[in-house]
Amino acid sequence: DLNDGVPYPGIATSTWVRVGKGWVWYLPAERSGMTEWKHLLGQTPHDAIYLNSLFHPRFTLRPLIAAALAGASRGSVLLAPRGELSPGALALKRRKKSTFLALTKAVGLFRSVVWHASTAEEADLIHRHFGSAAKVAIACNLPTPVEDDGEIPDVDSRAGKLNVVFLSRIARKKNLDYAIRVLARSDLPIQFDIWGPIEDEIYWSECAALMQGLPGNVTVCYRGMAEFSDVAKILGGYDLFFLPTRGENYGHVIAEAVAAGTPLLVSDTTPWRGLAEHGVGWDLPLAAGESRFAAALADARKMIVADRGGWRRRVRAFAAARLMDPSLVA
């Protein structure tokens, strides 16, 4: 798993292993160079190569170069940037990413790929960076089906506090520091729980320092990593899901939150827009400032006091309509 120093036990590496309906090649870190990729692509019959990142050196650049050297046909390589071209994502390590994009465009590294965009907005970003001739296919993500048992989960009142959850990777893109600064501006009694793997230790230290300056009405607790099978139950146990992310091409955890009936407070840098109009939360511009987000926390508290059960049922209905749309499969 992320940041683990020890591999999973009993896993055979550098060979095809049957997993469910597919085959997996577990790649040791010390054997992930061009030679390994050329061997893997050359010895494995395939119709297409699907790459799930734009910038990853090991799992995008090396296989892409290996495919080009092997003479891959135009359109046989599919590449999904996964939100990495959003303005918020590009603002992180801007100089390094700008240099990379300039160099790869100059040598035509991505000229023959078919881009997979999750939304029309992401397709626009791809065309903006790689030109109108770039071939882009839009296919929305397929979420986990909503299972509504009709019950509204209990939320631990914790002495009348507003129970807020942040569940995501601890990385700059997810903007946890912004969330902490928002909490610092609220005078509500708030319990703020943080779930997720610490991907960036330096960033986590910065966030921890900000937590030390929070007022006494806000209690913060880092809960550690969440098992995937427990995510729905975890999210369902809070009044509000708070993720002021710098950019998401979809936002799986947002889908999981609404499926659990938990209202949202997110930035407007995701496809989850118009939340206030649907009565399921807020999507606010980060430029509006921490005070605007703090005001949304106050509004959330009022909604919970007025009709907590009705609000959560509305969120679940919204999730069912959006996440179980049969057109997504088409």
Side-chain angles (χ1 to χ4, degrees):
D1 257 337
L2 182 66
N3 294 331
D4 267 354
V6 179
Y8 290 125
I11 295 294
T13 61
S14 296
T15 185
W16 288 110
V17 178
R18 186 75 177 181
V19 179
K21 296 181 180 181
W23 295 86
V24 176
W25 184 286
Y26 291 97
L27 189 67
E30 67 275 8
R31 295 188 61 186
S32 58
M34 289 298 301
T35 301
E36 187 85 355
W37 283 112
K38 288 171 68 177
H39 167 77
L40 193 59
L41 295 176
Q43 300 300 315
T44 307
H46 59 274
D47 297 306
I49 302 168
Y50 188 93
L51 304 174
N52 209 40
S53 170
L54 173 59
F55 297 114
H56 202 291
R58 187 187 306 172
F59 293 110
T60 297
L61 299 186
R62 293 176 192 173
L64 185 59
I65 294 171
L69 293 174
S73 61
R74 182 176 178 85
S76 65
V77 179
L78 310 172
L79 194 154
R82 295 297 174 196
E84 291 170 316
L85 289 172
S86 69
L90 288 178
L92 301 173
K93 302 180 181 179
R94 180 186 296 276
R95 182 176 299 177
K96 183 178 180 179
K97 291 178 180 178
S98 296
T99 302
F100 170 85
L101 290 173
L103 289 174
T104 53
K105 283 188 282 187
V107 301
L109 183 63
F110 300 111
R111 188 175 296 137
S112 297
V113 308
V114 175
W115 297 90
H116 170 199
S118 294
T119 63
E121 291 78 12
E122 187 170 43
D124 290 340
L125 289 171
I126 293 169
H127 284 304
R128 185 184 308 170
H129 287 281
F130 293 96
S132 58
K135 187 175 181 180
V136 182
I138 301 175
C140 297
N141 290 342
L142 296 173
T144 302
V146 178
E147 297 181 4
D148 189 352
D149 55 12
E151 294 185 7
I152 299 298
D154 291 330
V155 174
D156 182 1
S157 63
R158 301 194 216 187
K161 292 183 176 181
L162 177 68
N163 293 292
V164 182
V165 62
F166 174 101
L167 192 153
S168 189
R169 294 180 293 117
I170 311 300
R172 291 189 189 279
K173 182 182 175 184
K174 304 303 180 179
N175 226 7
L176 175 61
D177 61 305
Y178 190 98
I180 297 168
R181 288 195 296 271
V182 169
L183 296 173
R185 291 179 176 269
S186 177
D187 57 3
L188 295 171
I190 294 175
Q191 174 68 44
F192 184 56
D193 285 354
I194 301 167
W195 293 83
I198 299 174
E199 181 175 296
D200 186 334
E201 290 283 357
I202 294 175
Y203 177 64
W204 174 243
S205 297
E206 295 170 8
C207 291
L210 289 174
M211 293 177 206
Q212 295 299 319
L214 285 172
N217 57 294
V218 179
T219 303
V220 180
C221 181
Y222 175 59
R223 299 285 180 178
M225 291 180 60
E227 293 291 337
F228 175 74
S229 58
D230 295 334
V231 168
K233 183 178 180 181
I234 289 170
L235 291 173
Y238 291 89
D239 296 315
L240 190 70
F241 175 70
F242 187 12
L243 185 69
T245 175
R246 292 174 177 265
E248 304 292 330
N249 76 317
Y250 179 69
H252 287 279
V253 70
I254 299 174
E256 290 165 335
V258 293
T262 303
L264 306 172
L265 175 55
V266 299
S267 54
D268 66 351
T269 58
T270 84
W272 299 85
R273 304 296 300 278
L275 300 178
E277 289 83 348
H278 288 93
V280 297
W282 299 266
D283 50 283
L284 304 175
L286 295 173
E290 293 93 344
S291 295
R292 179 66 189 87
F293 279 82
L297 290 175
D299 291 338
R301 181 60 180 164
K302 293 175 184 175
M303 296 279 283
I304 290 165
V305 172
D307 186 12
R308 176 180 171 277
W311 197 20
R312 296 187 72 96
R313 280 188 287 272
R314 187 161 62 247
V315 174
R316 277 191 169 180
F318 169 80
R322 174 132 183 197
L323 301 182
M324 301 181 73
D325 182 354
S327 68
L328 293 178
V329 176

